[in-house]
Amino acid sequence: RFEGGRRVGVRARMQKGMEGIEQPLVKALLILNAEGRRVCSRFCDRRIFPSLAEEKAFEESLAKKVAVASDGYDAMEDVFEFGEYIVVFKQIDDLLFFVVGLAAENEVVLADVLNTFDEALMMLLHQQVYEENVLKNLKSVLLVIDELVDQEGIIMETSAAELVQRIGTSTYFADGIPLGEQTLTQALQTARDQITKSILS
């Protein structure tokens, strides 16, 4: 998280906690496909999720809960309690997005994290947010997650525009075309543009 242009670290967060101000924490941020299988995820508490087996079991049970509650993923958005957790959920095309916090966590904060993630991916992928495209651009998606929520679950940013700008999307796209899909001419033009930009800056 940033205050006054500087990153607020663990030591500062602990100090704030001592002063009676609770720092919102995300326990997990997940993208699953329509079958409930992992596309990408971040689990932020190794005491709760110590291994891949616990992570997978949680993802499977969460996907089943949503499927039953929404009658086959018909619901586009939802907030619900899930054992000792509160979960904010959104379906985008063939993907299921989840932000998970402890039951006492503020659901508005968690919803804000999910909306920021959603908006950043829409900008990053030019409104084409579906499983195949997310996997094709997984490196970019993981960078967004890194800038949104750190390994401890601290919320680092709530502006989608800032997230996309920070990861430097020009590395991955030119005129809306992933670099891997550009022709040689387009790739050379992209390289020339970036060299010119670096010289001018």
Side-chain angles (χ1 to χ4, degrees), residues 61-80:
S61 58
L62 194 58
K64 289 178 182 177
K65 166 74 174 179
V66 171
V68 171
S70 64
D71 190 22
Y73 308 124
D74 288 336
M76 296 299 291
E77 298 183 47
D78 199 5
V79 179
F80 57 90

Side-chain angles (χ1 to χ4, degrees), residues 16-181:
K16 284 181 176 289
M18 293 171 63
E19 296 169 359
I21 301 175
E22 292 291 333
Q23 172 74 44
L25 291 174
V26 171
K27 294 301 179 182
L29 192 156
L30 315 171
I31 305 178
L32 307 180
N33 64 19
E35 288 73 43
R37 291 192 293 270
R38 176 185 295 189
V39 175
C40 68
S41 64
R42 164 156 292 173
F43 285 86
C44 306
D45 194 330
R46 288 301 168 191
R47 295 168 299 175
I48 301 174
F49 307 104
S51 71
L52 182 60
E54 278 83 3
E55 293 178 2
K56 291 286 191 180
F58 184 80
E59 290 170 350
E60 290 174 7
S61 58
L62 194 58
K64 289 178 182 177
K65 166 74 174 179
V66 171
V68 171
S70 64
D71 190 22
Y73 308 124
D74 288 336
M76 296 299 291
E77 298 183 47
D78 199 5
V79 179
F80 57 90
E81 292 184 357
F82 187 64
E84 60 188 291
Y85 309 101
I86 185 165
V87 179
V88 181
F89 158 74
K90 178 180 288 189
Q91 180 182 359
I92 304 173
D93 201 274
D94 58 351
L95 293 172
L96 312 176
F97 289 74
F98 301 90
V99 174
V100 181
L102 292 179
E105 197 59 79
N106 188 330
E107 66 184 58
V108 175
V109 173
L110 299 179
D112 193 28
V113 172
L114 182 56
N115 287 333
T116 300
F117 190 34
D118 169 19
E119 291 170 11
L121 292 189
M122 285 293 180
M123 295 168 63
L124 181 70
L125 303 179
H126 303 278
Q127 310 298 315
Q128 303 299 307
V129 180
Y130 54 91
E131 183 179 6
E132 182 181 357
N133 204 32
V134 167
L135 289 172
K136 185 183 296 183
N137 297 283
L138 189 57
K139 182 178 179 181
S140 304
V141 175
L142 291 174
L143 284 172
V144 170
I145 294 175
D146 282 341
E147 294 292 340
L148 177 61
V149 176
D150 76 1
Q151 296 284 353
E152 295 182 333
I154 299 172
I155 301 164
M156 308 295 288
E157 182 59 74
T158 56
S159 166
E162 286 291 330
L163 282 176
V164 174
Q165 183 177 8
R166 192 174 299 152
I167 69 172
T169 57
S170 60
T171 303
Y172 304 100
F173 291 91
D175 299 323
I177 306 172
L179 288 183
E181 296 182 6

